[in-house]
Amino acid sequence: NINYTVPVGDTLEGLVELSGSWKSKQYVEYTNESWLGAYETFDLRAGVRSDRWEVIGYVGNLLDDDAIRSASNQPGLGCCF
């Protein structure tokens, strides 16, 4: 994580936080014949705060990564619940 804060006026503080994570290749089944590729994601938080309140905006998946994050080779349950 990278955090940055800066005073805004006499009583406020601006803040920005960038966080990232990386997931290596992961196997879907015990025979290791199927897998999901590695991927990374980044999230951003920014806002303003005082001693008594804060306003924060959050952007998940900042770079709009569309990697497949989970899979299964088990029989399906049909449609939806």
Side-chain angles (χ1 to χ4, degrees):
N1 291 354
I2 298 171
N3 298 305
Y4 180 72
T5 58
V6 61
V8 178
D10 293 335
T11 60
L12 300 178
E13 180 178 58
L15 62 103
V16 176
E17 177 180 299
L18 178 66
S19 60
S21 65
W22 180 77
K23 179 82 172 176
S24 64
K25 177 169 111 174
Q26 56 184 335
Y27 293 98
V28 178
E29 57 188 359
Y30 67 91
T31 61
N32 293 345
E33 294 176 4
S34 300
W35 64 86
L36 301 175
Y39 65 90
E40 65 279 332
T41 59
F42 295 95
D43 301 327
L44 178 69
R45 238 176 44 116
V48 178
R49 66 179 163 210
S50 74
D51 292 338
R52 300 185 321 184
W53 56 266
E54 66 182 13
V55 176
I56 303 290
Y58 176 79
V59 178
N61 194 10
L62 182 64
L63 301 178
D64 198 25
D65 176 34
D66 60 356
I68 298 172
R69 289 173 169 74
S70 66
S72 173
N73 67 345
Q74 303 301 314
L77 297 174
C79 184
C80 311
F81 285 94

